[in-house]
Amino acid sequence: MNKPEFIPTDSSESGSSQAEKPLKLELDDSRRLTGKNLVWDNVGAILDTFVSGIDKQQVVDCWLLHVNALLEQVGWAHEKTAYRIFEDGISFLISAPMDALYAATEINEAAWALCCSELNNIPSDGSYSALIKKLQTMIKEEADPALLKFIHQAEIHNTACLVDDDEVSLGYGASSQTWPVNSLPDLNEIYWQQYQPIPTAMITGTNGKSTSVRLCSEMVKLSGKCCGVTSTDFIKVGDTIIDKGDYSGPGGARTLLRHPETEIALLEVARGGLLRRGLAVPHIDAALITNIAEDHFGQYGINNLDALTQAKCIVAKALTTGTLILNADDPQLVKISDSFNHNIVWFSLDKTNPVLVKHQANKGTICYLDNGTMFYQNDNQITEVLAVNNVPMTFKGAARHNIQNALGAIALAIALNIDLRSIRQALTQFSSDIDDNPGRGNQFQIKGAQVILDFAHNTHSMKAMAETVREMPAKRKILMLSAAGDRSDHDIESMTEAAMQMKPELLVIAEIKDYLRGRELNQVPKLIARKAIEIGQLKENIIFTTEPVEGVKLILKQLEADQLALIMALSQRQQIFELLQELQA
């Protein structure tokens, strides 16, 4: 029997205080892990649960007893187990062969059911021998020895291999070749050396992922290479959008890396995909982590900033000899950096940032802003990149968050061997418009006034936009704000407080009926208004609208020259785009 791995959170609970709560043993999610993940580097199955009213270690011990017995009965005694205790639950993991991951989830769920029956003093349903027979049958039916041998040979030959339910491929880009899982080639006829990797990078963080990916892809394009991109919006190869949708998970990565025209791959990686399946590919050449901020707590056992930081930093597991690019202005990334054994490039808005100073003293590479100009420094060789006033997306330096995005993209492009001329040209050409970066600080000139449209949806991104607009001169400033109903009261209040830092003379609050998500009509707008008034907004300078488009039309009616309007739009985005484009000077 293998000793289980224990990965706790910083605030795990297992004390006697749990006994004061009602007993709760609830299955949240059960799924396959197909790559390196938050807990370990093994493929297998994970089961997330909510647990309260009992010592969590007692639950773990019970699960281990049952899962180890099941693993032994089905002939998997050599497989490993692990668990992660967090604030309101436990995650349970077992390793498994790549060809039997569905069976692994069934084993994990069976162990959990047996555990719940024991702890609730309820007899388990059905015969134990029948359960074992069922699990053994599942393993046998799912087993694919040819696939395992194929994967093993790819590992021996150090050849990139991607596997999904239907297909297997070797190599990336032009060298990639794909076969159906049930029709694999003769291993003796494969010329392994013909299947080559391509430069590949992962980009993650709470905010700035899409902007960083799009900017870096422009740098790659101008260097003469065909850049492939996956993102939360689309899969794109060169100038062609292959498909629209959220492709920040493994499926999008496989599609992109198998595309014959992809020469350099930039994979936007979201927290959800990392936690659901693990890493899409085992090895990359560079990774950029933009920042870590509160967002989507309460899913997959991620309930605080430290846990979220660990989740985002899963991308570092795909690096061996590559480069890890980190934001030195982000306290969470600085805090976790001691755990990394990688070639790190730090970037910062401040040349005197202590992290940069220490890293540079140790001959590390840094990228920074100094007197309005961005620099890249490798050991003692300092390269002047570009003044921020020549970078449209920075709003002449007012958009500090986009200066950070530019610094991260510069470091990432250099790590991918993109030449400096292409980097500079991309920085001067890339704009905050709907063509280059839709929904991210898009500027419009209407009636002699400035209108900025942004899809900011969390406190960190709203604060960044509010601080940008606050630095921009205008006779009068107007803010349109809304929020989705599935956010907590605290989240909505925090986002409102962040957005109000722009100090608007007029606040337009839009209801978004498509995003009520359990709330009553007008409940969210009233919550926003109450917080805004608490901060200091005059009640008579607040207007409510029934939908975002109505709010935009209202703003445009009274907009005058030299004024500025910031529109935070969560829905009706296309209609708002079209409306602003039609009126743009």
Side-chain angles (χ1 to χ4, degrees):
M1 183 185 301
N2 290 295
K3 184 178 180 181
E5 296 187 35
F6 168 46
I7 294 82
T9 64
D10 289 342
S11 54
S12 60
E13 300 176 16
S14 59
S16 58
S17 62
Q18 287 288 308
E20 300 171 6
K21 303 175 184 178
L23 178 61
K24 179 181 181 181
L25 301 169
E26 181 181 317
L27 173 62
D28 179 34
D29 192 40
S30 176
R31 61 194 181 277
R32 299 168 297 156
L33 288 172
T34 55
K36 299 174 183 177
N37 50 78
L38 177 63
V39 175
W40 57 9
D41 293 349
N42 300 311
V43 300
I46 183 171
L47 189 141
D48 296 324
T49 65
F50 294 117
V51 175
S52 61
I54 188 172
D55 185 334
K56 291 191 179 73
Q57 190 58 51
Q58 181 182 345
V59 179
V60 168
D61 292 341
C62 184
W63 172 80
L64 285 171
L65 181 70
H66 290 291
V67 79
N68 282 318
L70 290 176
L71 290 173
E72 186 170 353
Q73 288 289 329
V74 300
W76 280 10
H78 58 285
E79 295 297 346
K80 300 176 181 178
T81 59
Y83 60 96
R84 173 179 173 265
I85 294 177
F86 49 91
E87 293 82 355
D88 55 352
I90 310 170
S91 294
F92 300 100
L93 300 90
I94 60 174
S95 66
M98 181 62 87
D99 67 336
L101 299 186
Y102 286 106
T105 63
E106 292 290 333
I107 293 171
N108 211 359
E109 291 171 25
W112 172 249
L114 291 168
C115 175
C116 291
S117 294
E118 179 176 331
L119 295 175
N120 281 302
N121 294 314
I122 300 173
S124 58
D125 295 333
S127 160
Y128 190 77
S129 59
L131 171 63
I132 298 300
K133 186 176 181 180
K134 173 190 170 184
L135 295 173
Q136 288 174 333
T137 300
M138 288 191 67
I139 293 172
K140 184 177 180 180
E141 290 176 348
E142 196 177 354
D144 191 342
L147 174 62
L148 294 183
K149 193 172 182 180
F150 187 93
I151 295 171
H152 181 61
Q153 285 298 308
E155 291 172 352
I156 291 174
H157 289 91
N158 197 28
T159 301
C161 179
L162 300 177
V163 182
D164 58 51
D165 290 347
D166 302 312
E167 297 178 323
V168 180
S169 61
L170 295 176
Y172 298 157
S175 75
S176 179
Q177 187 172 0
T178 302
W179 300 268
V181 169
N182 58 5
S183 184
L184 297 177
D186 187 332
L187 293 175
N188 296 319
E189 296 179 0
I190 295 178
Y191 180 60
W192 297 95
Q193 289 73 17
Q194 77 181 67
Y195 302 110
Q196 296 298 314
I198 59 174
T200 302
M202 289 182 178
I203 299 89
T204 194
T206 302
N207 295 305
K209 297 186 295 296
S210 295
T211 298
S212 299
V213 166
R214 290 167 178 168
L215 175 57
C216 194
S217 69
E218 187 69 12
M219 296 172 178
V220 173
K221 174 183 174 181
L222 291 170
S223 75
K225 296 286 187 180
C226 183
C227 187
V229 168
T230 62
S231 72
T232 52
D233 298 314
F234 51 65
I235 303 175
K236 189 176 182 180
V237 178
D239 293 326
T240 303
I241 294 179
I242 305 301
D243 202 359
K244 290 185 177 181
D246 186 349
Y247 283 101
S248 58
R254 287 191 295 266
T255 299
L256 181 71
L257 290 169
R258 287 170 176 168
H259 197 286
E261 295 177 21
T262 304
E263 294 181 300
I264 294 180
L266 302 179
L267 311 176
E268 180 180 337
V269 182
R271 167 204 55 85
L274 289 169
L275 292 169
R276 279 194 300 270
R277 290 285 181 261
L279 288 175
V281 294
H283 303 293
I284 57 176
D285 301 284
L288 165 63
I289 307 178
T290 59
N291 50 55
I292 308 292
E294 290 188 19
D295 196 25
H296 294 295
F297 285 167
Q299 297 177 346
Y300 303 115
I302 303 300
N303 299 314
N304 57 55
L305 268 181
D306 286 340
L308 180 62
T309 303
Q310 292 171 2
K312 296 287 188 182
C313 289
I314 293 172
V315 296
K317 292 188 174 189
L319 289 168
T320 49
T321 58
T323 303
L324 178 60
I325 300 153
L326 300 175
N327 184 353
D329 299 328
D330 189 283
Q332 287 296 123
L333 291 174
V334 173
K335 180 179 176 181
I336 200 173
S337 62
D338 286 341
S339 67
F340 295 132
N341 184 25
H342 299 87
N343 173 32
I344 295 178
V345 175
W346 286 103
F347 66 93
S348 172
L349 293 171
D350 182 6
K351 179 185 178 181
T352 65
N353 182 307
V355 176
L356 262 66
V357 172
K358 180 180 178 181
H359 194 59
Q360 195 275 324
N362 292 325
K363 301 188 182 301
T365 302
I366 56 177
C367 192
Y368 56 88
L369 178 69
D370 186 27
N371 289 323
T373 299
M374 295 180 289
F375 293 87
Y376 183 88
Q377 183 171 350
N378 185 6
D379 196 1
N380 290 319
Q381 183 178 348
I382 301 176
T383 301
E384 181 177 328
V385 181
L386 201 64
V388 295
N389 282 347
N390 295 323
V391 183
M393 64 183 272
T394 71
F395 292 18
K396 295 189 180 300
R400 304 282 286 177
H401 64 292
N402 270 344
I403 300 176
Q404 285 187 323
N405 290 333
L407 291 168
I410 290 166
L412 181 61
I414 292 174
L416 295 172
N417 296 314
I418 304 303
D419 63 280
L420 194 59
R421 180 196 61 81
S422 299
I423 292 172
R424 288 178 176 139
Q425 187 178 352
L427 288 166
T428 58
Q429 292 181 189
F430 190 84
S431 300
S432 287
D433 59 28
I434 61 173
D435 294 320
D436 287 343
N437 203 19
R440 275 77 177 181
N442 301 152
Q443 286 184 288
F444 301 83
Q445 296 294 323
I446 299 174
K447 297 164 64 173
Q450 291 189 78
V451 178
I452 299 174
L453 175 65
D454 198 275
F455 294 167
H457 62 284
N458 57 44
T459 300
H460 189 274
S461 56
M462 286 192 175
K463 181 181 179 183
M465 285 308 304
E467 290 177 345
T468 297
V469 172
R470 191 177 61 200
E471 298 302 314
M472 300 173 70
K475 285 185 179 179
R476 183 186 187 220
K477 294 181 180 179
I478 303 170
L479 169 66
M480 189 182 89
L481 195 58
S482 57
D486 59 352
R487 298 283 184 167
S488 67
D489 287 4
H490 170 75
D491 287 342
I492 294 170
E493 290 173 350
S494 295
M495 288 188 285
T496 302
E497 186 173 4
M500 291 297 294
Q501 289 185 31
M502 71 171 277
K503 301 186 183 302
E505 281 81 8
L506 175 66
L507 172 62
V508 177
I509 303 174
E511 176 66 280
I512 41 179
K513 297 176 183 177
D514 294 339
Y515 289 77
L516 290 177
R517 293 172 178 171
R519 297 260 189 181
E520 295 295 324
L521 199 64
N522 298 320
Q523 185 179 355
V524 171
K526 287 179 181 178
L527 189 60
I528 294 173
R530 187 178 69 197
K531 186 63 180 180
I533 293 169
E534 180 185 312
I535 292 169
Q537 184 75 14
L538 295 177
K539 189 175 181 180
E540 57 265 32
N541 291 335
I542 297 177
I543 298 176
F544 295 92
T545 65
T546 58
E547 61 179 10
V549 168
E550 180 191 345
V552 174
K553 288 179 178 178
L554 185 150
I555 290 170
L556 294 175
K557 264 185 188 177
Q558 58 180 279
L559 196 64
E560 297 179 0
D562 300 321
Q563 294 185 348
L564 187 154
L566 173 60
I567 297 171
M568 301 285 202
L570 290 179
S571 68
Q572 298 185 321
R573 297 174 181 178
Q574 189 58 39
Q575 298 100 305
I576 294 173
F577 269 142
E578 293 171 0
L579 179 61
L580 296 178
Q581 278 185 301
E582 183 181 335
L583 296 175
Q584 184 167 222

